[in-house]
Amino acid sequence: MYPPKKTLTRLCLRKLAASSGQLLIVDDGRDNGNCFQWWMSFFSGYEYFGSASTLMECALGMAATQFPLCFRPNSPKVRLVTVHCHSISLSASENSPTGLVERPWKLADARLVLEDGSVWRAKSFGASGTQIGEVVFNTSLTGYQEILTDPSYAGQFVLMTNPHIGNTGVNFDDEESQQCFLAGLVIRSLSISTSNWRCKETLGDYLASRNIMGIYDVDTRAITRRLRQDGSLIGVLSTEESRTNEELLKMSRTWDIVGVDLISDVSCKAPYEWADSTNSEWEFNFNRSNEETFQVVAYDFGIKHNILRRLASYGCKITVVPSTWPASETLKMKPDGVLFSNGPGDPSAVPYAVETVKELIGKVPVFGICMGHQLLGQALGGKTFKMKFGHHGGNHPVRNIRNGRVEISAQNHNYAVDPESLPEGVEVTHVNLNDGSCAGLAFSQQKLMSLQYHPEASPGPHDSDLGHRVLAVVDGARGVAVMALGRTKGNIQCSKSEATRKSIPSSASPSAVLA
């Protein structure tokens, strides 16, 4: 065995040798010369009675794999005790001759290399390999499974600021799409156990089966501060030891997410009908009326399932179409309204989508969410810009300018609409209270409205869903705008959670509902 470093161990060995009469040390031969010198000095005052050849080999560092070192005190003893010691590797592999399992803790085996030159050592879980993406931080306390399956995170590493992730495992009811689109997950502490009655799989197994890389035991607070100070950074995540830090750094500095069409990879390839509504166990809108069914066409730029569920819960018949679906084909379907969904990346990278939006504005009532909001802004003649580090989390306060109400919203976007670039007649209806950015638009003349955040997400309270959300349709016979509410004859009814209900005349503009 290697020389013990703890004082208590040394004292125990000396007492054992003194009381037993002799002590036999069997060493594994690694670094024999140094090891032998230590044992000889350790048992100074004791007599060595082993083999002379072994003594010479030990002194020269040439001993075999295992060798005995025998000591006894100078004073005679009757008792004889032999102690066999040998060294082992705590990280022994399956092929190790010791037959021991791996140590109970995992060593750092992954690196996150950022374009600013910083290298972050971490432990891996999920898939292995090398991946590149833009690093963003998310401040949500819960909902990591919805984040993993949100198509808007395509091309990004999501760093969770909440330190404890994985404790509720994963289930198949909370998924927002059929697969994970993000590049990787970065967390501080990976839960070693799961505790939730709906749990079907651990987070690590879930990511591994979907080929998504994850790392933990990394200083997420330090990385978050860096992102807030310098803005979102490109990073490379790798578990391949053959790749040098310099090679990974070069990769991060030669890749860019700006101007890349990420929508094409997350959009559906053909139209389909959606019928599933919110499960009755989770439904909170009990004031809806389904006497009439609204025909809605939803453009899939990376649409989340819960948007479709909420639409269906309000009595909508939904047809989901690909991002490249022609506007002319949509008009042939004669929908009551068109929804432009959320999606990943830069709205300027998808000019075909902007043109589609332009062709539909004014011909049919439209509603945009997140990416759809940005596309509407560009289609109206406005400009969008890339934010420093974006909005990612379930706790962003948004103020409704028309009535002063503040909502706690879920957000996920790196781009925003510049309100100063919008033409006359377009109204900014909502403002993010963290930085004053535009969070909602309305244009009554074009029967148009949009939100930068996710009204379907319910990040705790349901105030973003109730009152003016998700659906924009028009009853062609009377011109009544209905905004994600229960619909009554000749008026629009507000949320049941409001203390007093307001009736809006059928001639009211869509933007009036926002009040």
Side-chain angles (χ1 to χ4, degrees):
M1 63 182 296
Y2 276 116
K5 297 182 179 180
K6 298 293 185 180
T7 303
L8 180 62
T9 305
R10 298 179 182 181
L11 292 176
C12 290
L13 284 173
R14 280 203 173 103
K15 288 183 178 180
L16 180 61
S19 62
S20 64
Q22 68 179 27
L23 179 65
L24 175 64
I25 306 295
V26 181
D27 201 286
D28 70 347
R30 291 188 298 172
D31 197 19
N32 295 334
N34 293 335
C35 193
F36 171 77
Q37 294 295 336
W38 189 93
W39 285 116
M40 295 297 291
S41 63
F42 181 79
F43 283 103
S44 60
Y46 288 74
E47 176 187 1
Y48 173 76
F49 64 98
S51 166
S53 60
T54 299
L55 180 63
M56 180 61 68
E57 290 178 356
C58 290
L60 296 176
M62 299 169 53
T65 301
Q66 291 189 346
F67 61 88
L69 293 178
C70 306
F71 299 91
R72 61 187 175 194
N74 294 329
S75 58
K77 294 287 183 179
V78 177
R79 290 176 56 198
L80 177 63
V81 176
T82 300
V83 178
H84 297 276
C85 305
H86 64 279
S87 66
I88 61 173
S89 173
L90 292 179
S91 59
S93 64
E94 295 179 355
N95 297 326
S96 172
T98 62
L100 297 177
V101 298
E102 293 185 358
R103 65 185 73 194
W105 60 89
K106 183 181 178 73
L107 295 178
D109 61 345
R111 290 164 292 165
L112 174 63
V113 180
L114 301 180
E115 62 177 309
D116 64 359
S118 60
V119 179
W120 306 83
R121 297 287 299 180
K123 301 172 184 178
S124 67
F125 70 107
S128 300
T130 299
Q131 184 62 268
I132 189 170
E134 181 183 40
V135 184
V136 298
F137 63 89
N138 188 297
T139 57
S140 298
L141 299 180
T142 61
Y144 57 81
Q145 187 174 353
E146 288 87 341
I147 293 170
L148 290 172
T149 54
D150 184 351
S152 295
Y153 281 113
Q156 294 179 324
F157 294 126
V158 180
L159 180 151
M160 302 296 297
T161 59
N162 183 33
H164 302 293
I165 301 296
N167 52 311
T168 58
V170 295
N171 65 80
F172 304 117
D173 296 328
D174 291 344
E175 295 186 334
E176 290 289 358
S177 63
Q178 295 181 347
Q179 67 182 88
C180 298
F181 290 99
L182 79 172
L185 183 64
V186 181
I187 61 177
R188 177 67 183 92
S189 177
L190 177 64
S191 178
I192 62 175
S193 61
T194 59
S195 179
N196 187 274
W197 62 277
R198 295 195 301 153
C199 175
K200 301 297 183 182
E201 195 174 13
T202 65
L203 178 58
D205 292 341
Y206 179 84
L207 293 184
S209 63
R210 286 156 179 79
N211 198 33
I212 300 298
M213 298 181 65
I215 59 172
Y216 67 101
D217 269 11
V218 64
D219 193 345
T220 52
R221 295 185 65 182
I223 299 178
T224 300
R225 289 194 297 268
R226 189 175 296 253
L227 297 176
R228 285 185 58 87
Q229 177 179 342
D230 301 334
S232 299
L233 297 171
I234 303 300
V236 178
L237 182 59
S238 180
T239 59
E240 298 175 331
E241 292 297 331
S242 61
R243 294 180 179 266
T244 65
N245 291 340
E246 290 74 18
E247 180 183 358
L248 300 179
L249 178 60
K250 183 178 180 180
M251 291 176 60
S252 68
R253 291 179 174 174
T254 55
W255 186 83
D256 198 355
I257 197 172
V258 177
V260 178
D261 178 6
L262 298 173
I263 289 178
S264 299
D265 293 332
V266 302
S267 178
C268 62
K269 306 306 179 185
Y272 64 92
E273 304 291 329
W274 180 277
D276 295 339
S277 60
T278 302
N279 191 298
S280 59
E281 185 177 7
W282 308 107
E283 182 58 69
F284 51 85
N285 174 37
F286 300 104
N287 196 42
R288 66 184 186 271
S289 174
N290 292 331
E291 295 179 1
E292 298 183 52
T293 299
F294 301 105
Q295 306 291 330
V296 176
V297 173
Y299 272 82
D300 180 10
F301 300 130
I303 197 166
K304 296 168 64 177
H305 286 173
N306 207 41
I307 294 176
L308 300 174
R309 295 190 195 102
R310 299 309 298 144
L311 284 170
S313 294
Y314 285 105
C316 296
K317 183 178 180 181
I318 309 159
T319 301
V320 183
V321 297
S323 60
T324 56
W325 189 253
S328 58
E329 294 299 318
T330 298
L331 294 175
K332 290 179 182 179
M333 301 166 71
K334 298 181 179 181
D336 294 309
V338 174
L339 170 73
F340 302 116
S341 80
N342 61 290
D346 184 357
S348 299
V350 286
Y352 61 87
V354 177
E355 290 301 317
T356 299
V357 175
K358 284 182 179 180
E359 294 178 27
L360 292 173
I361 289 178
K363 299 177 182 178
V364 62
V366 295
F367 189 93
I369 295 177
C370 200
M371 172 61 78
H373 163 82
Q374 298 162 20
L375 294 175
L376 281 169
Q378 287 196 5
L380 290 171
K383 298 179 180 180
T384 57
F385 63 93
K386 193 174 192 300
M387 309 176 78
K388 185 176 182 180
F389 46 79
H391 295 160
H392 310 277
N395 46 11
H396 285 250
V398 172
R399 181 168 64 90
N400 184 325
I401 296 177
R402 298 181 66 90
N403 60 22
R405 292 178 59 185
V406 176
E407 306 165 9
I408 302 301
S409 66
Q411 304 204 13
N412 174 25
H413 61 102
N414 276 74
Y415 293 82
V417 175
D418 179 7
E420 299 298 328
S421 66
L422 295 171
E424 184 178 354
V426 179
E427 178 186 7
V428 175
T429 59
H430 295 72
V431 174
N432 188 299
L433 293 182
N434 285 338
D435 57 11
S437 60
C438 174
L441 297 174
F443 195 180
S444 58
Q445 296 179 359
Q446 301 289 352
K447 301 175 184 177
L448 172 156
M449 60 186 68
S450 63
L451 295 172
Q452 179 62 82
Y453 52 99
H454 285 267
E456 86 292 341
S458 301
H462 297 145
D463 45 358
S464 289
D465 182 85
L466 301 176
H468 55 276
R469 299 297 182 250
V470 181
L471 174 62
V473 295
V474 171
D475 184 335
R478 291 188 300 271
V480 179
V482 180
M483 301 296 299
L485 315 161
R487 182 176 178 280
T488 60
K489 298 293 183 180
N491 64 60
I492 300 174
Q493 191 175 31
C494 291
S495 150
K496 71 169 185 176
S497 65
E498 299 182 57
T500 58
R501 300 187 181 278
K502 295 186 274 185
S503 294
I504 300 176
S506 60
S507 59
S509 65
S511 61
V513 184
L514 299 177

